[in-house]
Amino acid sequence: MGRRWGRKGILAGVLAGGVTGVAVLALSAHGLAEGAAAMALRHAGFPAAEVTVEHIGLSSARALVRLDPASGLTLGRVSAGWSAGGLLQGRLDRIAVSGARLRLVLEEDGTVRLPGLPDGNRGVGEGGEPGEGLALPVSEILVEESALAVEAGGGTLTVPLRLRLAEEGGLLRGQADVRIPAADLRAVGALLGTELAGMGSVEGTVALTLGAQEVQAVPTDCLLLAAKDLVVAGERLGLPEPLCLRAPEEAPLLDWSGEGLRVQALAEAERVSLPARGLAAEDVSLSLALDPAASEPLAAEVRIETLRSTGKPALFAPLAFTGGVRRELGRPLSFNGRAADASGLLTLEASGTHDTDTGTGRMDVRLRPMTLKPDGPGPAQLLPGYGAQVSKVSGRLAAKARLDWNAKGLRSGGELLLEEVAGTAGPVSLAGVNGAIRLSSLSPPVIPAGQVLAVKLLDVGVPLTDGTVTFGYGRDGRLNVEGAEWRWAGGLLRASPFVIAPAEPRGIIELHAERIDLGRMLELVAVDGLAATGRLSGRLPVSIVPERVSLDGGLLEAVEPGTLRYDPAEPPGFLQGDEGSPTALLMGALTDFRYSELRATLDGEAGGELRIGFGILGSNPAFYDGYPVKLNLNVSGALDRILRQSLDAYRIPDTVRDRMSEFGRKDP
């Protein structure tokens, strides 16, 4: 709703009425005196006006003018000066006002009332049309030690008045020194048509232009605005340093007329914070347009050189931000924005609405797909609040989120897409991680139970490949793994459910091995000429402590008879010997060893070697007529090579792939 300032303009009426009264006083100094001046003010719309003449001379007069004694509305001490030529033209040369106390009341329906008028919605002047064809009959106006109080929104804005105006082209132009040490921002918000609270101060110089129906103000340089306990549209803002307020080129900062108060402003601030959101902005510039009578009363554009997360740890890396805010009549605020980090990898896009009447709103955020490289910035640098525990990350990431808020608080959720992601988390290496993970809360991050990731490879001292992990992540920062299955060496490894804190990992994860192919297992250590058949089952306990993950005391046992053959083209030196020697006998037995019992112990450390020790009972039909022999054999292989070999023939499960394909089609 546009503010209705009478039918033409109360402020212009006050000035016009006051000046007219003093003009009558001056022009009738030899006859009308106090009565005539008071009558002129009453005719201008102030029925209780009183004038006390203190001095009348040939070229000047001075009087105490009270527009409405009951409400304290006064023009204070008014002095008028004139020349003979000016009197002949019906105008004054100079008016000086000192001690004026003016008051305006902004009603809830948008009307403005001037105490002292019989009808606050009626104009001032004959027929209720103030300023109709009125030219202020004065060449210069000087106002000192005066104040204008505006009551609105439950607060009062008191503006000290100190200005000098001179007639130019039918208008009064000049400058006003603005010094408002303590302004109730509720009143400012009511004038601007938006919700404000807190206390503010203003300091600077403003160029003014006054017509009978319009007032325009343009800062001559920079208006410094400071605020304490500032709240804008229900959001608390920190403003540690004053912001600089300017007017756009060839436009006034304020334009006050019968259509209401229009604002066009450029603002700059070194730092602005949103404590409730954990955000701080540096080097902020704002372009603002307010016009209560327009179909779009509010339009703003914001540019932030550096937007920081103030949480510990920060949720994201420092970002550059651009965005806008709009309000259409009868609709909530709408906003949009785009933020990007210095590397260009992290780009966030957001849009949403906020209802200032109810304090409710929503925001949709998207993290545009980004491709990471092991030697470039990773989650720990880009999203430290979520990825501080992983490093050397490669692959493709994307995310989307939804935030809703009301008077009770903030709710958030989102979804994270991972495609062929690899990296390290402490001593653990991962590769080929794929999936779409739902988050039921962003801060703190919470992943509901039942989320599934497909993983090509996980090194926990033994290379686990072609697996799926079902898990959740709680507000307590603990990872709850409900189930995990891995294809390994032609068999299956299953993990018992376990809970672990990624920030301080510690515990033992029990892996149950089912029908492991002995031949495939020996291929992992790649000993030339070594081959086997048979199936093994058992347990592989994985020990996790900070900075170390190891397989300690794994035990597999044969579930059926099998064979073990070792017949290298070039036996190593320690297995070479003369015919009949113990070494030669051992090599002969291993050329076709058929076992009935086999136990294998496995030990290894993530990033190190996998060591396998065999205890075997069996025989070789061609060795001592098949006499039973018990053998002990140890083999090992470097895990970095084993891990590379383990990536072959990997396939993302259909359930995980379907969930990933839904990522771009559904809201979080």
Side-chain angles (χ1 to χ4, degrees), residues 237-264:
L237 271 68
L239 194 65
E241 300 294 333
L243 63 82
C244 172
L245 192 65
R246 305 178 188 272
E249 290 187 16
E250 302 180 357
L253 175 68
L254 303 177
D255 190 338
W256 200 358
S257 69
E259 296 297 323
L261 176 64
R262 295 191 297 273
V263 178
Q264 298 182 80

Side-chain angles (χ1 to χ4, degrees), residues 209-301:
T209 301
L210 272 69
Q213 302 176 35
E214 189 172 28
V215 178
Q216 292 186 345
V218 180
T220 58
D221 187 10
C222 182
L223 273 181
L224 294 178
L225 277 67
K228 183 179 180 181
D229 299 325
L230 175 62
V231 178
V232 179
E235 187 76 43
R236 183 171 296 277
L237 271 68
L239 194 65
E241 300 294 333
L243 63 82
C244 172
L245 192 65
R246 305 178 188 272
E249 290 187 16
E250 302 180 357
L253 175 68
L254 303 177
D255 190 338
W256 200 358
S257 69
E259 296 297 323
L261 176 64
R262 295 191 297 273
V263 178
Q264 298 182 80
L266 301 176
E268 298 172 353
E270 291 185 8
R271 182 178 172 88
V272 179
S273 65
L274 284 77
R277 306 285 179 238
L279 299 174
E282 300 171 4
D283 296 326
V284 180
S285 59
L286 168 69
S287 170
L288 175 67
L290 291 168
D291 187 350
S295 59
E296 188 177 74
L298 168 64
E301 300 291 336

Side-chain angles (χ1 to χ4, degrees), residues 337-385:
R338 182 180 185 275
D341 80 309
S343 71
L345 280 174
L346 178 62
T347 300
L348 296 166
E349 296 174 342
S351 62
T353 61
H354 179 76
D355 190 324
T356 57
D357 293 331
T358 63
T360 61
R362 60 165 288 181
M363 179 169 64
D364 294 309
V365 182
R366 282 191 175 271
L367 169 65
R368 299 188 65 180
M370 58 180 178
T371 301
L372 302 177
K373 298 180 179 180
D375 57 351
Q381 293 75 40
L382 300 175
L383 299 166

Side-chain angles (χ1 to χ4, degrees), residues 526-612:
V527 176
D528 180 44
L530 182 63
T533 63
R535 295 280 178 174
L536 311 176
S537 294
R539 53 185 289 274
L540 302 175
V542 176
S543 175
I544 300 178
V545 297
E547 306 304 325
R548 183 176 181 271
V549 175
S550 59
L551 172 62
D552 297 323
L555 176 62
L556 301 177
E557 295 182 298
V559 297
E560 60 190 24
T563 62
L564 180 68
R565 293 182 176 89
Y566 183 56
D567 189 14
E570 285 292 334
F574 68 90
L575 288 179
Q576 296 179 7
D578 297 331
E579 185 176 353
S581 67
T583 302
L585 292 175
L586 174 61
M587 288 295 296
L590 290 176
T591 56
D592 185 19
F593 194 80
R594 303 177 186 186
Y595 64 84
S596 57
E597 297 180 12
L598 184 148
R599 291 166 56 92
T601 60
L602 291 88
D603 296 276
E605 185 171 333
E609 282 195 335
L610 175 63
R611 300 175 298 279
I612 305 177

Side-chain angles (χ1 to χ4, degrees), residues 145-148 157-163 175-183 200-208 219-226:
E145 298 179 3
S146 300
L148 169 66
L157 173 64
T158 301
V159 182
L161 297 178
R162 180 182 176 87
L163 57 92
Q175 289 189 347
D177 291 329
V178 181
R179 301 288 187 275
I180 306 177
S201 64
V202 184
E203 183 175 347
T205 302
V206 174
L208 293 175
T220 58
D221 187 10
C222 182
L223 273 181
L224 294 178
L225 277 67

Side-chain angles (χ1 to χ4, degrees), residues 396-441:
R396 188 171 181 267
L397 298 174
K400 56 186 178 181
R402 166 78 178 266
L403 293 86
D404 295 89
W405 57 86
N406 54 32
K408 296 181 180 180
L410 173 70
R411 291 186 297 109
S412 62
E415 195 169 7
L416 175 65
L417 178 69
L418 302 97
E419 294 181 292
E420 297 301 321
V421 172
T424 60
V428 176
S429 297
L430 304 97
V433 180
N434 291 273
I437 301 171
R438 187 169 67 87
L439 287 86
S440 57
S441 170

